[in-house]
């Protein structure tokens, strides 16, 4: 219950307060009064709580303006000026493809569009401005909270518990234990389509090191026997599918000190190449540990 949903709801209802409103005390007060008219009604009638004092909120935020104002600017203009100068501009996505409000596992999603196309609306650039789109994925699957998870390894499963322990799989904000599972290339294929990925960066390959065998989901079987090589559109089907696995050999040799792709065990290289073959998207980077320098480029 720390989500940003209420903020997006205000935006869609046209009662959202924007950062630029802080620069005009009168407009900010008018918008604050309008927003609190609804919020205070909800607080009082639904939650039996005291209303929020608009005057106190206004004073608190006005006191922040001198400190905030130097950092408020026309970011669309800033980005396009950089692009016009031929500079590199890096956009970092948040959340994940399958938490996308429109293309994720609805309703177990976030409130925005974290697919690559969200950059266009979020940062004010057009699609043709994006020339490299890197999909970041773990070498296994995880999920926080509810929602369909075909390859899930439930709590108490030896492999699942190992992934959580070695991968430190706990929610950044909530501290909740993430749900672990085997890598699902069906979902990776869908992510590659939705984002028009030019490449993958595979993280946490080192977490898999102790395992003698690695399973990778390459398809699903529905309750009626239908074989899927893509994510089913119908949520009822998605909740009752069975994963189809291929088994690959593990490497069981620590890889944290590897400084090149060729230095990885042949089984680890095979695992990375398998991901690229199954998704049709090259893997260009692999992380072998949590430190910044523990990344190797894939030269295949």
């Amino acid at each position: 219950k720390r989500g940003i949903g209420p903020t997006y709801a205000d935006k869609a209802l046209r009662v959202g307060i924007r950062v630029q409103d802080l620069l005009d005390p009168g407009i900010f007060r008018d918008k604050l009064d309008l927003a609190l008219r609804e919020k205070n009604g909800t607080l009082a009638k639904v939650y039996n709580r005291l209303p929020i004092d608009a005057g106190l909120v206004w004073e608190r935020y006005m006191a922040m303006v001198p400190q905030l104002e130097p950092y408020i600017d026309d970011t669309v203009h800033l980005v396009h000026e950089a692009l016009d100068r031929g500079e590199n501009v890096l956009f970092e996505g948040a959340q994940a493809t399958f938490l996308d409000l429109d293309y994720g596992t609805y309703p177990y999603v976030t409130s925005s569009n974290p697919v690559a196309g969200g950059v266009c609306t979020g940062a004010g650039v057009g699609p043709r401005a994006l020339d490299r789109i890197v999909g970041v994925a773990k070498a296994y699957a995880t999920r926080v909270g509810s929602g369909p998870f075909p390859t899930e390894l439930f709590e108490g499963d030896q492999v699942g518990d190992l992934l959580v322990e070695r991968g430190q799989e706990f929610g950044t904000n909530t501290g909740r234990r993430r749900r672990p599972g085997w890598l699902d290339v069906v979902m990776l294929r869908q992510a590659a389509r939705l984002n028009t990925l030019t490449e993958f960066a595979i993280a946490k390959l080192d977490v898999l090191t102790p395992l003698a065998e690695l399973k990778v989901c390459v398809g699903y079987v529905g309750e009626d026997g239908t074989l899927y090589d893509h994510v089913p559109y119908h949520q009822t089907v998605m909740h009752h599918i069975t994963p189809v696995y291929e088994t690959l050999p593990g490497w069981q040799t620590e890889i944290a000190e590897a400084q090149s792709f060729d230095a990885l065990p042949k089984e680890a290289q095979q695992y990375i190449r398998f991901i690229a073959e199954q998704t049709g998207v090259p893997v260009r980077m692999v992380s072998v540990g949590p430190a910044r320098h523990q990344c190797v480029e894939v030269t295949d």
Side-chain angles (χ1 to χ4, degrees), residues 105-106 108 143 146-152 179 187 235 238-239:
T105 51
Y106 191 89
Y108 308 101
R143 180 162 195 156
S146 303
F149 192 169
T151 66
E152 182 171 7
R179 298 158 60 194
M187 300 194 89
Q235 63 181 3
M238 188 64 182
H239 280 282

Side-chain angles (χ1 to χ4, degrees), residues 139 151 182-186 188-189 208 213-219 243-248 271 274-275 278:
T151 66
W182 294 114
L183 186 68
D184 188 336
V185 295
V186 181
L188 287 186
R189 287 187 207 118
L208 299 176
E213 291 185 337
L214 305 171
K215 291 184 178 181
V216 179
C217 175
V218 296
V244 177
Y245 288 112
E246 286 201 26
T247 302
L248 301 176
Y271 189 75
F274 186 79
I275 294 171
Q278 287 288 319

Side-chain angles (χ1 to χ4, degrees), residues 71 109 252 286:
Y71 303 100
V109 294
Q252 296 188 295
V286 177

Side-chain angles (χ1 to χ4, degrees), residues 229-245:
D229 63 358
H230 61 279
V231 178
Y233 78 92
H234 201 294
Q235 63 181 3
T236 302
V237 174
M238 188 64 182
H239 280 282
H240 295 92
I241 53 175
T242 301
V244 177
Y245 288 112

Side-chain angles (χ1 to χ4, degrees), residues 79-101:
V79 169
H80 280 274
E81 286 287 289
L83 292 173
D84 291 343
R85 290 192 298 267
E87 297 178 7
N88 288 325
V89 177
L90 174 66
F91 300 103
E92 181 185 5
Q95 303 288 356
T97 290
F98 290 98
L99 294 180
D100 188 275
L101 180 61

Side-chain angles (χ1 to χ4, degrees), residues 13-225:
L13 288 168
R14 280 76 159 177
V15 297
I17 296 174
R18 300 187 292 176
V19 173
Q20 67 168 346
D21 296 329
L22 294 173
L23 303 179
D24 187 318
I27 287 180
F28 177 58
R29 181 57 190 263
D30 289 343
K31 289 192 173 185
L32 185 62
D33 288 339
L34 177 63
L36 287 181
R37 192 177 307 156
E38 178 216 345
K39 305 303 178 192
N40 282 337
T42 302
L43 285 171
K45 297 176 182 178
V46 178
Y47 297 104
N48 195 29
R49 300 288 293 273
L50 293 173
I52 295 172
D53 188 309
L56 292 178
V57 174
W58 184 88
E59 290 176 3
R60 180 185 176 196
Y61 277 81
M62 286 299 99
M64 298 179 189
V65 170
Q67 188 174 356
L68 293 172
E69 188 169 5
Y71 303 100
I72 300 174
D73 208 334
D74 181 352
T75 53
V76 173
H77 179 72
L78 285 176
V79 169
H80 280 274
E81 286 287 289
L83 292 173
D84 291 343
R85 290 192 298 267
E87 297 178 7
N88 288 325
V89 177
L90 174 66
F91 300 103
E92 181 185 5
Q95 303 288 356
T97 290
F98 290 98
L99 294 180
D100 188 275
L101 180 61
D102 295 304
Y103 300 105
T105 51
Y106 191 89
Y108 308 101
V109 294
T110 190
S111 306
S112 60
N113 296 106
V115 292
V119 170
C120 299
T121 54
V125 297
R128 290 194 298 163
L130 307 178
D131 54 17
R132 185 179 176 191
I133 303 174
V134 183
V136 181
K138 293 174 186 173
Y140 51 95
T142 62
R143 180 162 195 156
V144 172
S146 303
F149 192 169
T151 66
E152 182 171 7
L153 298 168
F154 295 95
E155 192 166 0
D157 181 277
Q158 186 175 358
V159 174
D161 290 346
L162 179 142
L163 295 177
V164 170
E165 181 181 349
R166 281 182 60 91
Q168 289 297 293
E169 296 297 350
F170 298 93
T172 304
N173 291 318
T174 63
R176 282 185 296 175
R177 181 187 192 272
R178 292 193 180 106
R179 298 158 60 194
W182 294 114
L183 186 68
D184 188 336
V185 295
V186 181
M187 300 194 89
L188 287 186
R189 287 187 207 118
Q190 182 81 337
R193 285 178 170 180
L194 290 170
N195 295 283
T196 59
L197 297 180
T198 59
E199 62 206 83
F200 274 113
I202 300 298
K204 295 192 171 184
L205 184 65
D206 56 300
V207 173
L208 299 176
T209 292
L211 302 174
E213 291 185 337
L214 305 171
K215 291 184 178 181
V216 179
C217 175
V218 296
Y220 305 140
V221 175
E223 284 189 310
D224 62 354

